[in-house]
Amino acid sequence: MYGETLAIEDYVDEEEDDQQTNGFAQSGVKTWAQLIPLNSSLQRTDLVEPNEKYVFGKGEESDVVLPAASFSQSHLALISKKHFIIHKEPCSAKVEDFDVILQDISSNGTLVNGKKVGKDKFRVLQPNDEISLAMNSIKVFMYVSVKSVSSSLHSDVTDKYLVSKLLGKGACGEVFLVFLEADYSKQYAMKVVDKKSFTSSVIAPSAANSGVLRNSANDVMSEVNILKRLQHVSSGSKSKA
């Protein structure tokens, strides 16, 4: 399902630099949702403030126009001029606490993960939900939440990979689903290793040893080297910036 283990670079630890953010924040554009294309003729779409609602369809009046050239004539006939809406809905007074909601406004239906939403009905999108038009085979986008670890990662990572949902947690870090920015069809699992979890300590003397100092940097690199050797559907690796 996922690609091979990601290569490891030696990232500089920038814990003291609280201003390290992803590319969108650096450019002053605040993104609240991302849609990656499931149709090779479509482009990645970022939903940004101050707009809190986007209309998708084949009509020129839509905020995001789905180009006719991206679909066969038979499929294009099933797509409405205004097919669906994605909007941002606050959940509390906190700015970062919101849901991303899809509303079907089409004649032939909008599907999320193969299930029809229903005319004028709503669906709260979850990370990696797939959006299709009229039938499941007319896939257009996968929803990616921006409420992820991306903002805490080094730009060397976020410039190359789109970080998606959390796949799992372990003693040494967390594993995220990521997409290659140059080719969204390529998925990987990326492990974020928190170097703070590797602390220097003295192993007490015993019959087997005379007492040694464990080095946290060595522990980190040992974890990295193990992960680099893996070729597993749920393994990937990056050290945390």
Side-chain angles (χ1 to χ4, degrees):
M1 179 179 179
Y2 304 119
E4 65 184 36
T5 304
L6 302 182
I8 296 294
E9 287 83 29
D10 293 327
Y11 297 129
V12 177
D13 191 350
E14 298 183 1
E15 292 176 345
E16 64 276 0
D17 183 3
D18 294 331
Q19 302 304 313
Q20 182 68 41
T21 58
N22 61 28
F24 296 112
Q26 288 174 343
S27 64
V29 176
K30 188 170 181 61
T31 302
W32 52 268
Q34 295 173 324
L35 301 174
I36 64 173
L38 298 176
N39 177 324
S40 60
S41 297
L42 298 175
Q43 296 182 336
R44 167 175 157 180
T45 300
D46 297 329
L47 309 186
V48 301
E49 295 182 352
N51 298 332
E52 296 190 348
K53 181 179 80 171
Y54 285 81
V55 178
F56 293 73
K58 67 180 181 182
E60 293 297 327
E61 62 271 29
S62 295
D63 299 311
V64 179
V65 178
L66 304 173
S70 299
F71 307 93
S72 67
Q73 287 301 311
S74 59
H75 284 175
L76 187 64
L78 300 174
I79 302 174
S80 299
K81 290 183 178 180
K82 293 184 178 181
H83 203 99
F84 65 91
I85 296 171
I86 292 181
H87 74 272
K88 178 182 176 184
E89 184 73 28
C91 296
S92 71
K94 296 181 179 179
V95 175
E96 69 278 7
D97 189 13
F98 62 87
D99 284 330
V100 175
I101 299 174
L102 180 145
Q103 180 186 7
D104 179 16
I105 57 172
S106 68
S107 300
N108 293 305
T110 303
L111 299 83
V112 176
N113 299 330
K115 295 183 179 180
K116 284 198 172 184
V117 176
K119 177 73 171 180
D120 294 325
K121 292 185 178 179
F122 301 86
R123 170 74 175 262
V124 177
L125 293 176
Q126 302 298 326
N128 286 53
D129 276 353
E130 295 186 354
I131 301 170
S132 304
L133 310 179
M135 59 180 70
N136 194 41
S137 60
I138 312 178
K139 297 181 185 295
V140 284
F141 295 110
M142 178 183 287
Y143 164 67
V144 176
S145 172
V146 298
K147 295 184 288 185
S148 68
V149 73
S150 296
S151 62
S152 65
L153 294 175
H154 196 285
S155 60
D156 284 356
V157 175
T158 56
D159 287 349
K160 187 174 182 180
Y161 300 100
L162 181 61
V163 182
S164 182
K165 69 178 179 180
L166 177 69
L167 295 174
K169 295 182 179 181
C172 299
E174 299 175 320
V175 179
F176 292 85
L177 175 64
V178 301
F179 298 87
L180 187 66
E181 286 281 9
D183 183 354
Y184 294 120
S185 67
K186 295 182 179 179
Q187 302 178 29
Y188 299 90
M190 177 185 75
K191 185 164 187 177
V192 179
V193 178
D194 187 350
K195 289 182 285 188
K196 291 180 181 179
S197 66
F198 295 91
T199 57
S200 296
S201 60
V202 175
I203 299 177
S206 66
N209 64 68
S210 58
V212 295
L213 177 66
R214 290 184 57 192
N215 185 283
S216 61
N218 290 340
D219 285 346
V220 172
M221 291 312 301
S222 176
E223 174 76 7
V224 167
N225 289 330
I226 290 172
L227 292 169
K228 287 176 69 176
R229 293 194 295 268
L230 295 178
Q231 298 283 335
H232 193 275
V233 294
S234 61
S235 65
S237 53
K238 281 285 181 185
S239 56
K240 187 175 181 180

